[in-house]
Amino acid sequence: MTTEDMATETEADDDTDSLVTSDPGKGGLSENDDRGTVMAADTIVESRDLDVFYGETQALQNIDLAIPENQVTAMIGPSGCGKSTFLRCINRMNDLIDICRVDGELTFNGKNVYDEDVDPVALRRRIGMVFQHPNPFPKSIYDNVAYGLRTQDKTENMDAVIEESLKKAALWDEVKDQLDKSALNLSGGQQQRLCIARAIAVDPEVILMDEPASALDPIATSKIEDLIEELAEEYTVVIVTHNMQQAARISDKTAVFLTGGELVEFDDTDKIFENPESQRVEDYITGKFG
Amino acid sequence: MATRSESGFGEVSRLRGIVFKYLTFGASLVGILALGVLLAYVFWDALGLESAGTAWYLTYTVTLLAPLLGFLAYARDKPEVTAGAIELVGFTLAGGTLSFAAIIVLIVIAGPGVWVTYFLTVVAPVIGLFLYGQYEREATWVGLAMLGTLVVGPIVGTLGLGAISTVAALLGAPGVYFLSLVVPGAGLAAFLAADRFDASRRVALGVAVGLLVLAIVGVPVVDTVPIVARSVWFAVLVMLGLPVGFAVTNTARQPARRAAFALPAIAIGGFLVGEFVVGAIGATQPSPWLDWQFLTSPTSSLPADAGLYPAVIGSVFLIILVSIFTFVFGVGTAVYLEEYAPSSGLLGTVTRLINVNISNLAGVPSVVYGLLGLGIFVNINIQFGPVVYAGIGAGTVLTAAMTLSLLILPIVVISAQEAVRSVPDSLRQASYGMGATRWQTIRNVVLPRSLPGILTGTILALGRAIGETAPLIMIGAVATKYNPPSGLFDTLTAMPLQIYTWAFLPSEEFRYGVVAAGVVTLLIVLLSMNSVAILVRNKYQQETY
Amino acid sequence: MSNEGRTPDLTRDRGLQTVRESTYKYALAGCAVLSVLTTVGIIGVLFVDAAEFFASPAVTFGEFFTSTRFSPNLEPVSFGIFPLLLGTLLVTFGAALVALPIGLLTAIYLSEYASQRTRSVLKPMLEVLAGVPTVVYGYFALVYITPALNVVIGGVNGALGTQFPTLGLFNGLSASIVVGIMIIPMVSSISEDAMSSVPDSLRQAGYGLGATKFNVSLRIVVPAAISGIASSFILAISRAIGETMAVVLAAGSRPPDIPPTQSAFGLLPYVAPGDLLALYSDSAATMTVAMINIAVSDLSGGSLAYQSLFAIGLTLFVITLAMNVISDAIANRYREEYE
């Protein structure tokens, strides 16, 4: 069993060498990594040849991307180049859009999430999502965090689980005395942390974040960024961000999407920002185009 | 942190969701199905279909029903044909309603003398001024002049009623209607031909002359039919002929739409063939309660003789008065509240209060409006200095019209407000930016754009008014009346009131036969009104995009 | 060079244009004043004549609200509004039982489950329900529904051996059913608007947490739209209270007999369920029906019965107005909940 797993892992590692589609050869794994991540990280989510269409328009072309476990992977690029679309493919939230069509393969823990026998609702119970604009329910703080637990029938020790989630989301101290007050009374940053607490309460394996701090002020943003780094110890975090500096600060690996839905380069964050392979990526990072 | 698994991610039961979906779908259908069943029953009773034999059913299924369904199936994926068919049906309906209203108001109620008086003092001048204003755009005094005529004209007309009526009598009733309906109608037809269909002047003139000739030629033909008077022929020719002619020409000109002519062909042809076959094979026909006799006789204590005629006339008279009153005051109020009234400061609070007040008025039960009518228009006696106001009579046309108008005024105001609000502000800004005054902006930008919505809302509200009974009872409308109303201060009965009176009569034949016929008549009138409203809304919704 | 005589004349040509603008403005303002006058008229008429009624020596406030007999013309004359209130309560409660669940479920279907095409077909059809005149609904109840129900009751009694009472010609049950059908569109349309205004981001959050559509609809959307839904309920009930013709034709003109009450636990009045059900099988005149009856019999003014008309009307007006105001207040509250 273990050998088989190792074999699969090695294959996956080999694949990462050829991840970069437009620039051949190098790239892949670096040997120096400040965050101390192991060279051969397990891949938890991987896409192969993924094409996504909205009606006639193609939003993503041929995406091959292997997202490692327990790390923060950032996806950057100008607006409209498909980062959010890719993110929403992972937990099949794109199913909610009628005209969206997905071709190719996207695996989670080795299983293609677009297989016929996969129940998207069950899938979404293993993968959490945090959205760009905080969207707490118009219920109490307690009920917000409890919603996922109740939905998934994980109601034992609910108080303890909720407390734990709020602590992990660095919100417990601020709200512990007002759990029954409406969540809409919180500030924007607090609401977003509440949404994070809500997502992690059900113990997902992966947390997807779609520009989680773009609607927040700088102080709230930095709190969220600290939070993300801590979350990566327990969960896999995939974050879409507009803010390149943010990606440089908090992520272990970065994927760069450019116009037309193309994944141009995927590598360790340091490499991408200091010495990218692709000229286009370098132009984007140095701000030659937006 | 979960363990890896190569198998699926598990399944979440959707059973509750599926059951719930069908439950909610069923709930949506409950009311509709219940109403459908009830409507089927009442139509069945009214049309006496029970007594029809199987042969009759078979015949009509073959000659009428099946071809109609075939046409529907054919037209399902041909939007042009559907549009053409809808246009034909819609214009015929509208034309039918118009001619019906014209016959009742102009011929039955008003009579030639009254009609020609007000035609000369109000209608003709206003139309003349309007047309002048269209040609001479510089003459901005036209609007004020039209307003002035609308106020002064009726007064002049009332004063001169006697004199003009005598002159009119010399012309004879058909002559009066020929001059006041057919001639302007011919002008309108020529205008439409030139304007909408790009006809040359000669063709347009030909159309006008053709209409006049048709009117005259039809007279001897019509004379052979006893119920149709010459005046009625003129009214129908103009009010029904023009819309239908317009729709027919429009459909005929576009090749893609020509297939739509199959619909009236099937309807009329199928009906005629069916009648012929049924007569030939001697199938037992249904014995309907709803027949021509029913529509043209007054009520009676014998079920077989009872009819709805006075009630129909009364209802039509009422609706016309109510529509004029509520359209003018409702749109005026809506325009004022949306365009003129300040939204901040003390007056802003007043505006908000008025809005709240109107929405509360919309929720007041109709009996209370009846009480209002009773207290203000019937049992009242106040003195304003030398003038004594003693009400306008119990159960008179004017009282009923005023009470019903007040009843639906809030609804008309609210829907007119929504229509005006839906005009994008950018259009207003563009108008002001060009130096237009407020009234010019309203008249040239806001009103034209919001008019379809206003019309739809008003027609739907009128549909509500036509079915209201409680206020009429409260203001003392009599339960049984044998003659249609002859003037504003005459007592009246209306369709819903007549139905209500009949329903309490113990005889089963009344309850299951006559009342059913009355209900079906009322429903058909309502259905046509609502269809016209929906057609207006759909037609203009497409045009604004 | 010289700009003399070239300064643009920016002062408007006053004259005709001003006259025109002012004329229209004041004419339109006059129209708006009419709505205010209407309210003043209603309140004035109701209060003045009701005051005359209560000022009469034959009537007292107490008797009006507590007497258990309403009989304006038949001896012994009594003007107790309580039986009429009971009738109104019966019919309204029955109608609410029909319309509120069906209307809410319909709204959920239209807002969360139905496709665009289905919606565009169902919504107009539901509007038709609201467009049928009330006198027609009353007729339906009298002529079709009551006999049909009696057939059903007879069948059930025969098959199960139960003793359900058969319905009289005029009965409260048919009236409730028919008024209920009539107000379904009010509930469904307003509730559906409220549910459609729930921002989609909330649904997305729910789906992201692995909830099924059923869960999202019932646990997120409906609670979020609850103010609008409650407001629609109250409006519909208010409409049912004011409903006249359908009830006249279906439930007749006799107010219900007040059922005997027993005391439960020594304090609370308690009506046996059997007695309550029996109420529905018999005539149940409401306040509105009583008004119609008085109007039909005597409208010349001056008599006590005529004046009682306004007292009842005032009660009705106050009740419906209060409900409409409450409904507005509740609906306005929900506008702030998402921000």
Side-chain angles (χ1 to χ4, degrees):
Chain A
M1 250 281 274
T2 329
T3 337
E4 274 177 61
D5 280 353
M6 293 293 290
T8 340
E9 287 170 18
T10 329
E11 277 175 334
D13 295 342
D14 285 341
D15 281 351
T16 50
D17 282 337
S18 57
L19 269 179
V20 182
T21 47
S22 44
D23 288 12
K26 308 180 338 174
L29 314 163
S30 75
E31 309 200 329
N32 298 330
D33 197 322
D34 287 345
R35 291 176 190 80
T37 326
V38 185
M39 258 184 68
D42 299 339
T43 307
I44 187 168
V45 172
E46 182 171 358
S47 81
R48 286 201 195 106
D49 233 352
L50 194 70
D51 293 302
V52 179
F53 298 85
Y54 286 119
E56 296 295 318
T57 326
Q58 182 158 15
L60 287 175
Q61 301 178 34
N62 270 349
I63 308 294
D64 291 335
L65 184 57
I67 296 175
E69 195 177 1
N70 275 6
Q71 291 186 19
V72 180
T73 304
M75 302 201 287
I76 63 174
S79 357
C81 51
K83 318 186 289 291
S84 296
T85 307
F86 182 77
L87 197 74
R88 293 166 62 97
C89 281
I90 299 178
N91 65 351
R92 285 186 67 170
M93 284 293 273
N94 277 336
D95 285 9
L96 302 175
I97 301 175
D98 283 334
I99 55 172
C100 184
R101 196 182 86 233
V102 175
D103 288 330
E105 193 178 83
L106 200 156
T107 60
F108 170 56
N109 279 336
K111 169 91 176 144
N112 183 6
V113 306
Y114 281 97
D115 269 348
E116 293 283 320
D117 60 340
V118 169
D119 182 1
V121 171
L123 174 68
R124 294 182 199 127
R125 296 186 177 190
R126 312 266 295 266
I127 301 179
M129 191 160 205
V130 177
F131 299 82
Q132 182 175 357
H133 295 280
N135 51 8
F137 303 125
K139 303 174 194 276
S140 69
I141 296 176
Y142 185 91
D143 283 332
N144 260 280
V145 185
Y147 175 78
L149 296 171
R150 290 188 180 122
T151 309
Q152 300 182 22
D153 279 326
K154 292 178 178 166
T155 49
E156 302 161 10
N157 281 334
M158 210 154 59
D159 290 355
V161 172
I162 291 180
E163 181 176 334
E164 175 90 13
S165 315
L166 286 169
K167 281 184 177 157
K168 281 192 207 164
L171 191 60
W172 174 251
D173 288 326
E174 292 168 54
V175 302
K176 62 183 175 205
D177 297 325
Q178 36 170 333
L179 289 181
D180 55 342
K181 297 280 190 304
S182 168
L184 300 176
N185 291 334
L186 298 174
S187 74
Q190 289 172 319
Q191 285 185 4
Q192 193 66 304
R193 276 178 280 151
L194 177 63
C195 292
I196 295 177
R198 181 176 68 184
I200 61 184
V202 291
D203 203 21
E205 295 169 52
V206 178
I207 303 178
L208 306 176
M209 297 185 152
D210 194 347
E211 304 198 37
S214 68
L216 305 176
D217 62 81
I219 298 181
T221 302
S222 77
K223 285 195 187 163
I224 300 273
E225 287 179 9
D226 294 338
L227 188 50
I228 292 177
E229 292 186 320
E230 284 171 29
L231 288 176
E233 289 164 27
E234 253 186 274
Y235 312 95
T236 305
V237 178
V238 184
I239 173 172
V240 166
T241 177
H242 246 131
N243 186 338
M244 284 188 280
Q245 291 78 17
Q246 182 176 83
R249 279 195 293 271
I250 62 177
S251 67
D252 300 311
K253 293 186 103 63
T254 301
V256 184
F257 286 74
L258 290 179
T259 324
E262 238 186 292
L263 171 64
V264 178
E265 195 168 334
F266 174 64
D267 210 329
D268 290 345
T269 303
D270 293 341
K271 179 105 185 346
I272 293 279
F273 281 94
E274 288 158 18
N275 184 19
E277 292 291 331
S278 156
Q279 183 59 38
R280 288 166 71 192
V281 172
E282 176 151 355
D283 287 345
Y284 174 65
I285 295 201
T286 53
K288 291 225 176 88
F289 62 91
Chain B
M1 294 65 58
T3 52
R4 293 191 179 204
S5 74
E6 287 292 340
S7 57
F9 305 109
E11 276 256 345
V12 176
S13 162
R14 301 289 218 290
L15 184 63
R16 277 187 312 174
I18 296 177
V19 168
F20 188 66
K21 176 172 176 177
Y22 284 113
L23 180 68
T24 51
F25 180 62
S28 343
L29 292 182
V30 162
I32 299 174
L33 285 178
L35 184 64
V37 166
L38 291 169
L39 286 176
Y41 262 116
V42 85
F43 270 84
W44 180 271
D45 278 343
L47 299 174
L49 294 174
E50 200 166 27
S51 30
T54 354
W56 185 88
Y57 280 112
L58 275 177
T59 315
Y60 271 106
T61 314
V62 167
T63 60
L64 193 58
L65 197 59
L68 267 180
L69 288 176
F71 177 78
L72 282 176
Y74 168 75
R76 254 182 61 170
D77 47 357
K78 297 185 177 51
E80 281 295 307
V81 176
T82 319
I86 292 180
E87 197 177 66
L88 282 174
V89 171
F91 273 86
T92 316
L93 257 180
T97 319
L98 268 179
S99 51
F100 188 58
I103 294 175
I104 290 185
V105 173
L106 303 182
I107 301 179
V108 174
I109 299 179
V114 172
W115 162 242
V116 81
T117 313
Y118 289 110
F119 178 75
L120 286 177
T121 53
V122 179
V123 177
V126 166
I127 296 183
L129 284 171
F130 176 73
L131 290 174
Y132 182 73
Q134 295 292 100
Y135 276 112
E136 271 310 313
R137 300 312 290 251
E138 295 296 309
T140 50
W141 51 267
V142 167
L144 277 179
M146 287 195 331
L147 255 187
T149 322
L150 283 171
V151 174
V152 169
I155 303 179
V156 172
T158 324
L159 290 176
L161 187 53
I164 304 183
S165 301
T166 335
V167 175
L170 293 175
L171 273 176
V176 164
Y177 288 111
F178 185 82
L179 285 177
S180 56
L181 280 182
V182 182
V183 171
L188 181 60
F191 173 73
L192 281 177
D195 189 66
R196 288 301 170 106
F197 299 124
D198 298 321
S200 66
R201 286 187 69 174
R202 290 182 55 193
V203 173
L205 213 53
V207 168
V209 171
L211 192 66
L212 291 172
V213 168
L214 186 58
I216 301 177
V217 161
V219 167
V221 176
V222 160
D223 278 343
T224 60
V225 182
I227 18 171
V228 182
R230 292 180 186 179
S231 325
V232 170
W233 158 243
F234 291 145
V236 168
L237 180 65
V238 171
M239 296 292 179
L240 181 61
L242 277 182
V244 169
F246 179 82
V248 165
T249 323
N250 205 17
T251 311
R253 271 162 50 101
Q254 301 176 36
R257 289 195 176 190
R258 293 208 186 119
F261 281 120
L263 184 61
I266 293 175
I268 300 176
F271 180 70
L272 288 175
V273 170
E275 282 291 294
F276 177 72
V277 171
V278 161
I281 63 177
T284 27
Q285 304 210 15
S287 52
W289 285 99
L290 179 59
D291 53 8
W292 194 246
Q293 178 267 335
F294 177 75
L295 289 175
T296 51
S297 330
T299 182
S300 147
S301 46
L302 294 174
D305 296 338
L308 202 55
Y309 181 64
V312 170
I313 306 290
S315 280
V316 170
F317 200 3
L318 262 186
I319 285 306
I320 294 185
L321 290 175
V322 169
S323 56
I324 298 176
F325 188 82
T326 51
F327 189 76
V328 168
F329 280 95
V331 177
T333 307
V335 167
Y336 179 77
L337 287 176
E338 289 298 311
E339 300 288 324
Y340 283 93
S343 46
S344 61
L346 178 64
L347 284 182
T349 322
V350 171
T351 312
R352 253 199 327 276
L353 281 180
I354 295 186
N355 273 319
V356 169
N357 182 36
I358 291 180
S359 83
N360 280 337
L361 280 179
V364 171
S366 51
V367 258
V368 176
Y369 276 101
L371 279 183
L372 174 67
L374 185 61
I376 294 189
F377 299 125
V378 180
N379 283 332
I380 191 169
N381 206 315
I382 342 179
Q383 227 169 345
F384 295 108
V387 177
V388 173
Y389 169 62
I392 42 183
T396 57
V397 173
L398 196 57
T399 313
M402 295 294 297
T403 310
L404 284 182
S405 305
L406 288 178
L407 173 66
I408 65 169
L409 197 58
I411 310 175
V412 174
V413 169
I414 290 175
S415 59
Q417 268 183 310
E418 268 171 42
V420 167
R421 229 177 265 152
S422 74
V423 175
D425 218 27
S426 52
L427 292 181
R428 290 189 189 82
Q429 302 284 327
S431 174
Y432 289 132
M434 284 189 273
T437 65
R438 183 127 58 167
W439 172 248
Q440 282 173 325
T441 307
I442 294 175
R443 186 174 159 282
N444 297 321
V445 173
V446 176
L447 276 184
R449 178 95 177 204
S450 56
L451 200 59
I454 294 178
L455 278 179
T456 310
T458 310
I459 297 180
L460 290 176
L462 286 175
R464 164 113 187 248
I466 210 175
E468 282 290 340
T469 325
L472 296 178
I473 298 180
M474 299 304 284
I475 57 155
V478 293
T480 314
K481 188 150 191 298
Y482 295 100
N483 299 314
S486 54
L488 282 178
F489 291 96
D490 196 12
T491 52
L492 93 165
T493 183
M495 282 194 280
L497 193 55
Q498 187 67 277
I499 293 174
Y500 164 72
T501 316
W502 279 336
F504 274 111
L505 297 176
S507 148
E508 263 224 11
E509 286 205 305
F510 261 109
R511 216 175 265 164
Y512 283 93
V514 179
V515 183
V519 166
V520 168
T521 316
L522 181 59
L523 286 176
I524 291 182
V525 169
L526 233 102
L527 183 65
S528 7
M529 286 176 75
N530 283 0
S531 311
V532 170
I534 295 178
L535 281 173
V536 165
R537 179 171 66 193
N538 285 353
K539 182 164 159 56
Y540 285 100
Q541 240 174 19
Q542 291 158 7
E543 283 189 10
T544 45
Y545 286 138
Chain C
M1 299 307 188
S2 155
N3 277 335
E4 287 168 3
R6 308 262 319 235
T7 359
D9 179 14
L10 292 176
T11 61
R12 283 260 187 85
D13 162 26
R14 299 261 111 192
L16 180 67
Q17 195 165 59
T18 334
V19 169
R20 201 183 57 181
E21 289 293 311
S22 314
T23 316
Y24 283 119
K25 177 169 174 180
Y26 288 114
L28 293 176
C31 298
V33 167
L34 182 63
S35 70
V36 177
L37 288 180
T38 312
T39 313
V40 169
I42 291 181
I43 298 184
V45 163
L46 288 178
F47 269 102
V48 164
D49 282 294
E52 271 185 41
F53 173 73
F54 285 116
S56 151
V59 181
T60 65
F61 259 123
E63 191 203 339
F64 186 67
F65 283 108
T66 58
S67 161
T68 56
R69 184 179 146 80
F70 183 81
S71 164
N73 293 315
L74 243 49
E75 292 295 332
V77 169
S78 164
F79 290 101
I81 203 176
F82 190 70
L84 303 177
L85 280 176
L86 183 61
T88 306
L89 189 64
L90 280 177
V91 172
T92 306
F93 181 72
L97 218 54
V98 168
L100 300 189
I102 293 183
L104 182 58
L105 288 176
T106 307
I108 295 179
Y109 179 74
L110 286 176
S111 150
E112 304 295 309
Y113 286 98
S115 69
Q116 187 62 15
R117 250 189 53 180
T118 322
R119 278 233 302 279
S120 66
V121 168
L122 274 183
K123 284 189 81 157
M125 288 174 81
L126 282 170
E127 290 308 310
V128 171
L129 281 181
V132 174
T134 62
V135 74
V136 173
Y137 271 119
Y139 170 71
F140 283 160
L142 182 64
V143 164
Y144 297 125
I145 295 188
T146 303
L149 281 179
N150 273 335
V151 167
V152 168
I153 291 181
V156 166
N157 277 347
L160 300 179
T162 46
Q163 296 274 14
F164 288 119
T166 43
L167 307 171
L169 180 63
F170 296 114
N171 65 84
L173 184 60
S174 304
S176 304
I177 293 178
V178 125
V179 174
I181 296 180
M182 199 188 313
I183 60 178
I184 289 177
M186 273 186 89
V187 177
S188 74
S189 157
I190 300 179
S191 297
E192 195 235 326
D193 281 343
M195 283 192 261
S196 299
S197 327
V198 172
D200 216 30
S201 57
L202 292 182
R203 292 185 186 84
Q204 301 261 318
Y207 288 128
L209 285 165
T212 57
K213 187 168 195 156
F214 174 67
N215 199 304
V216 166
S217 306
L218 238 49
R219 295 221 196 278
I220 298 181
V221 177
V222 169
I226 200 76
S227 314
I229 295 176
S231 149
S232 81
F233 281 4
I234 297 181
L235 273 177
I237 292 178
S238 158
R239 174 85 203 269
I241 290 180
E243 186 39 58
T244 316
M245 296 316 295
V247 185
V248 166
L249 281 173
S253 352
R254 206 166 50 80
D257 298 319
I258 305 194
T261 60
Q262 305 130 20
S263 288
F265 314 122
L267 284 172
L268 306 164
Y270 166 78
V271 182
D275 288 340
L276 263 183
L277 283 185
L279 281 177
Y280 276 100
S281 61
D282 210 356
S283 283
T286 62
M287 288 188 281
T288 51
V289 170
M291 289 168 70
I292 294 281
N293 287 332
I294 298 176
V296 163
S297 61
D298 167 22
L299 268 188
S300 52
S303 74
L304 203 57
Y306 171 80
Q307 284 167 349
S308 72
L309 202 54
F310 291 89
I312 305 176
L314 183 61
T315 318
L316 188 64
F317 177 68
V318 166
I319 295 179
T320 48
L321 185 66
M323 294 189 83
N324 286 342
V325 167
I326 294 177
S327 151
D328 268 342
I330 294 183
N332 279 332
R333 205 173 62 105
Y334 89 85
R335 278 184 222 292
E336 282 135 0
E337 279 209 15
Y338 310 130
E339 307 306 306

